[in-house]
Amino acid sequence: MSLRLRVVVAVALLFLTGSAVGVALAGWQAQKVLREELVAALDGGRLTVGAAYLSLPRSDDPPRDLGRLVASFDGARHIEASLVDAAGRRLAVSRPLPVRPAPVWFARQFDPGVGQTRLLVPASGGETVVLAPVAANDIAAVWAELVDLIAVLAVAFAVGAGLLWLMVGRALRPLSDFSVAFERIGRGDYAAEVGEAGPSELARVGRSVNEMAGRLAAMQARTLRLEQQLATLQDEERADLARDLHDEIGPHLFAVNVDAAMARRLIGEGDPGEALRPIDAIQQSVAHMQRLVRDILGRLRPSELIDLGLASAIGELVKFWRARHPGIVFEVRVAEDESLALTDEARETLYRVVQEALANAVRHGRPARIDVEVRRLSGTEVAAVIADDGPLTGAAEGSGFGLIGMRERVAAAGGTLAIERGAGWRVTARLPVRLTVEDLEPAS
């Protein structure tokens, strides 16, 4: 059953219940009034008969006057009078007001239960005037009013139900739009929109649906952008790795090949003493290449270095760049891990920020000095600051893939990233710390 039909049925049941209760109360009140009217009519009839009895002894024709007494009740609405002899025969009967009777079952249910009155005629042979209550007229009137009332209620119910059906349908029309929009959103179509119309409650829901769809669309676009950034960063890392292998390890491999050929020639010429010099050069080249490979692996997989401490990991990173750019002065101040109170994810995030900031400064800024500082701020934050005095500008502020990647990584860790331009570039990352028991204890 639809919500629209449920609302209409519920209101219809409420209307029918109220109507039934109202009709029952009205019937009970009408029955009470009818009983009072019958009792009053019988009282009036007794007074009339009593007055006639007082003048009866002076009558020259008592039977005639009794007949006239009974006839005086002709057309009465509430009383039927009859003259009954001692044997129970009805000698005269009044004619009550004619009426179209109500159904028997209704008359039986509505009968007020008022009994008849018997008045013995004085100085007679046992004759009696019987006053019987007549409720048929009022019951028929009540029945007619009930039929009219039911007809009016039926028309009102039909019209009200129709109007309610239209109003509820119009009010709930946005729900069908919501259903269609949710189906589209469930299929990944975040361009779905609904009208912000209808009742205020549904209008607010419509605004919320549109806002949700907008946020999901923004998240989808952000996800696609991050995927593109990731692919670009991977390409950049591959290019950096290829350049390092070509520029650093390639020449040493060529030198090792030359030295090995020379040692082979010298040994073949019977001069093993001279062959020791190229062999020593080979060992030095291999040791240098081992260090280069270790540095490259540290850049690609910093987790092992970070496990030894953030300060050590950043120190190895600075060592890598210092070896390639000896003209740059590196100043490093990194607090111990115990005082920073960072999670493993936060430590790796700070390491990646320092890594990217150093790479940007060295490659694009041509600085003479780079300062790296990681310290705990007062409160519940740790800050990593990388500042250089480079006169040149690399990627535009906040738009490079590396900078965007840093922002997204810091935001995912619950922190903030600020990039400022002064004498050089200054990158500041702030991350929340992991509170310890000592942090929670009040100072003594």
Side-chain angles (χ1 to χ4, degrees):
M1 183 183 295
S2 66
L3 178 60
R4 182 184 190 182
L5 184 57
R6 289 182 181 181
V7 172
V8 173
V9 169
V11 174
L13 291 176
L14 181 62
F15 177 83
L16 292 176
T17 302
S19 299
V21 173
V23 169
L25 290 175
W28 175 78
Q29 185 66 26
Q31 187 182 39
K32 180 180 178 183
V33 171
L34 177 58
R35 180 182 180 85
E36 292 175 354
E37 290 181 353
L38 291 177
V39 171
L42 289 175
D43 291 340
R46 281 195 294 268
L47 292 176
T48 300
V49 173
Y53 282 178
L54 292 177
S55 61
L56 192 61
R58 298 188 299 272
S59 175
D60 56 351
D61 189 358
R64 181 198 62 193
D65 291 340
L66 287 175
R68 290 177 178 176
L69 174 62
V70 172
S72 67
F73 287 94
D74 288 346
R77 180 181 180 85
H78 296 115
I79 296 177
E80 178 190 66
S82 60
L83 180 61
V84 181
D85 61 12
R89 292 188 302 268
R90 301 178 74 178
L91 303 177
V93 181
S94 67
R95 295 187 299 274
L97 185 69
V99 68
R100 185 177 179 180
V104 176
W105 63 268
F106 182 78
R108 186 181 300 116
Q109 294 294 328
F110 208 75
D111 184 7
V114 177
Q116 62 184 4
T117 300
R118 304 177 69 89
L119 300 172
L120 183 63
V121 178
S124 66
E127 295 174 342
T128 304
V129 174
V130 178
L131 300 178
V134 178
N137 294 297
D138 291 282
I139 293 177
V142 171
W143 170 255
E145 293 176 359
L146 178 61
V147 171
D148 293 340
L149 178 61
I150 292 176
V152 172
L153 290 177
V155 173
F157 173 76
V159 174
L163 292 176
L164 183 62
W165 177 267
L166 295 177
M167 292 176 58
V168 172
R170 184 173 182 179
L172 297 181
R173 188 176 302 165
L175 292 181
S176 60
D177 298 337
F178 296 162
S179 177
V180 174
F182 285 138
E183 289 180 0
R184 291 179 58 186
I185 292 173
R187 293 194 299 267
D189 181 9
Y190 302 131
E193 290 187 359
V194 297
E196 300 177 7
S200 58
E201 296 81 358
L202 294 183
R204 287 197 297 270
V205 174
R207 286 193 294 271
S208 299
V209 171
N210 292 335
E211 292 174 359
M212 179 188 68
R215 287 194 293 268
L216 290 174
M219 292 175 61
Q220 185 184 47
R222 177 182 175 186
T223 301
L224 293 176
R225 185 175 68 251
L226 289 177
E227 291 177 352
Q228 295 173 355
Q229 294 172 8
L230 179 60
T232 303
L233 290 174
Q234 289 175 341
D235 292 340
E236 290 182 355
E237 289 181 352
R238 293 190 184 99
D240 289 344
L241 181 60
R243 182 173 58 251
D244 290 339
L245 291 176
H246 178 272
D247 296 344
E248 300 291 344
I249 297 181
H252 287 281
L253 288 176
F254 178 77
V256 167
N257 187 39
V258 172
D259 290 336
M262 182 182 295
R264 181 186 181 91
R265 181 177 59 80
L266 291 174
I267 292 174
E269 293 175 354
D271 192 357
E274 282 296 320
L276 291 178
R277 286 190 296 107
I279 291 175
D280 291 339
I282 290 173
Q283 290 179 335
Q284 293 175 2
S285 296
V286 170
H288 182 70
M289 287 188 289
Q290 287 177 336
R291 288 193 299 272
L292 291 176
V293 170
R294 185 171 59 252
D295 292 340
I296 292 173
L297 291 177
R299 290 168 56 200
L300 295 177
R301 298 181 60 187
S303 58
E304 295 180 0
L305 293 175
I306 294 178
D307 289 340
L308 300 178
L310 184 60
S312 299
I314 293 178
E316 290 293 328
L317 189 61
V318 171
K319 180 180 177 182
F320 172 84
W321 289 112
R322 182 181 285 132
R324 284 154 182 75
H325 298 275
I328 300 176
V329 176
F330 291 87
E331 183 69 27
V332 181
R333 297 182 298 278
V334 181
E336 296 298 328
D337 285 19
E338 290 77 8
S339 63
L340 296 178
L342 292 170
T343 62
D344 294 340
E345 292 78 9
R347 285 193 298 169
E348 184 167 353
T349 297
L350 288 181
Y351 176 85
R352 291 297 188 182
V353 169
V354 173
Q355 182 185 43
E356 183 64 29
L358 285 176
N360 283 341
V362 171
R363 291 172 182 168
H364 306 298
R366 295 184 183 178
R369 178 186 176 91
I370 298 177
D371 291 292
V372 179
E373 181 180 10
V374 179
R375 59 187 175 86
R376 181 166 178 175
L377 303 177
S378 58
T380 59
E381 285 185 322
V382 166
V385 181
I386 304 93
D388 66 77
D389 59 355
L392 300 181
T393 301
E397 179 181 357
S399 62
F401 287 118
L403 299 181
I404 294 176
M406 278 196 294
R407 289 187 186 279
E408 300 293 347
R409 188 186 292 273
V410 172
T416 59
L417 182 72
I419 302 175
E420 303 167 320
R421 177 66 175 167
W425 285 106
R426 181 183 181 90
V427 178
T428 304
R430 293 171 178 261
L431 294 182
V433 301
R434 182 184 68 245
L435 294 178
T436 63
V437 177
E438 289 78 6
D439 297 320
L440 299 176
E441 290 180 350
S444 56

